[in-house]
Short mmCIF file of all heavy atoms in Angstrom, two decimals:
data_model
loop_
_atom_site.label_atom_id
_atom_site.label_comp_id
_atom_site.label_asym_id
_atom_site.label_seq_id
_atom_site.Cartn_x
_atom_site.Cartn_y
_atom_site.Cartn_z
N PRO A 116 -39.54 -1.66 12.45
CA PRO A 116 -40.69 -1.87 13.37
C PRO A 116 -40.33 -2.46 14.75
O PRO A 116 -39.36 -3.14 14.86
CB PRO A 116 -41.54 -2.84 12.50
CG PRO A 116 -40.77 -3.17 11.26
CD PRO A 116 -39.39 -2.57 11.33
N PRO A 135 -20.58 -9.28 -7.62
CA PRO A 135 -20.77 -10.63 -7.09
C PRO A 135 -19.72 -11.59 -7.61
O PRO A 135 -19.50 -12.57 -6.92
CB PRO A 135 -22.14 -10.98 -7.91
CG PRO A 135 -22.32 -10.00 -8.90
CD PRO A 135 -21.59 -8.73 -8.53
N LEU A 161 -28.66 -10.68 19.91
CA LEU A 161 -27.18 -10.25 19.83
C LEU A 161 -26.31 -11.56 19.84
O LEU A 161 -25.30 -11.61 19.12
CB LEU A 161 -26.82 -9.29 20.94
CG LEU A 161 -25.41 -8.86 21.01
CD1 LEU A 161 -24.98 -8.15 19.68
CD2 LEU A 161 -25.26 -7.88 22.27
N THR A 165 -23.78 -12.75 16.88
CA THR A 165 -22.43 -12.96 17.26
C THR A 165 -22.08 -14.43 16.70
O THR A 165 -21.00 -14.57 16.05
CB THR A 165 -22.24 -12.81 18.62
OG1 THR A 165 -22.61 -11.47 18.99
CG2 THR A 165 -20.83 -13.01 19.04
N TRP A 168 -21.43 -14.62 12.91
CA TRP A 168 -20.15 -14.15 12.38
C TRP A 168 -19.02 -15.12 12.78
O TRP A 168 -18.03 -15.25 12.08
CB TRP A 168 -19.93 -12.74 12.90
CG TRP A 168 -20.75 -11.70 12.11
CD1 TRP A 168 -21.78 -11.04 12.46
CD2 TRP A 168 -20.45 -11.35 10.72
NE1 TRP A 168 -22.20 -10.24 11.39
CE2 TRP A 168 -21.47 -10.47 10.28
CE3 TRP A 168 -19.40 -11.70 9.69
CZ2 TRP A 168 -21.57 -9.88 8.99
CZ3 TRP A 168 -19.56 -11.10 8.46
CH2 TRP A 168 -20.48 -10.27 8.17
N VAL A 179 -19.58 1.43 20.52
CA VAL A 179 -20.60 2.38 20.32
C VAL A 179 -20.36 2.97 18.86
O VAL A 179 -19.21 3.00 18.32
CB VAL A 179 -20.64 3.43 21.28
CG1 VAL A 179 -21.02 2.94 22.71
CG2 VAL A 179 -19.33 4.24 21.35
N THR A 204 -2.99 12.88 -8.08
CA THR A 204 -2.01 13.82 -8.24
C THR A 204 -0.95 13.29 -9.27
O THR A 204 -0.63 14.09 -10.16
CB THR A 204 -1.28 14.12 -6.85
OG1 THR A 204 -2.07 14.43 -5.85
CG2 THR A 204 0.00 15.10 -6.88
N THR A 228 -2.18 2.22 -5.37
CA THR A 228 -3.21 2.13 -6.34
C THR A 228 -4.20 0.99 -6.10
O THR A 228 -5.28 0.97 -6.71
CB THR A 228 -2.52 1.70 -7.81
OG1 THR A 228 -1.71 0.56 -7.66
CG2 THR A 228 -1.58 2.93 -8.17
N MET A 237 -19.17 3.08 -3.35
CA MET A 237 -19.10 2.76 -1.92
C MET A 237 -18.29 3.92 -1.24
O MET A 237 -18.67 4.36 -0.14
CB MET A 237 -18.39 1.46 -1.81
CG MET A 237 -17.94 1.21 -0.22
SD MET A 237 -16.95 -0.34 -0.05
CE MET A 237 -16.30 -0.02 1.60
N ILE A 249 -14.03 12.09 9.35
CA ILE A 249 -13.04 12.12 8.31
C ILE A 249 -12.27 13.53 8.24
O ILE A 249 -11.11 13.55 8.08
CB ILE A 249 -13.61 11.81 6.89
CG1 ILE A 249 -14.02 10.23 6.87
CG2 ILE A 249 -12.78 12.11 5.74
CD1 ILE A 249 -14.77 9.80 5.63
#
Side-chain angles (χ1 to χ4, degrees):
Chain A
L161 181 56
T165 300
W168 282 106
V179 295
T204 302
T228 62
M237 171 185 165
I249 288 173

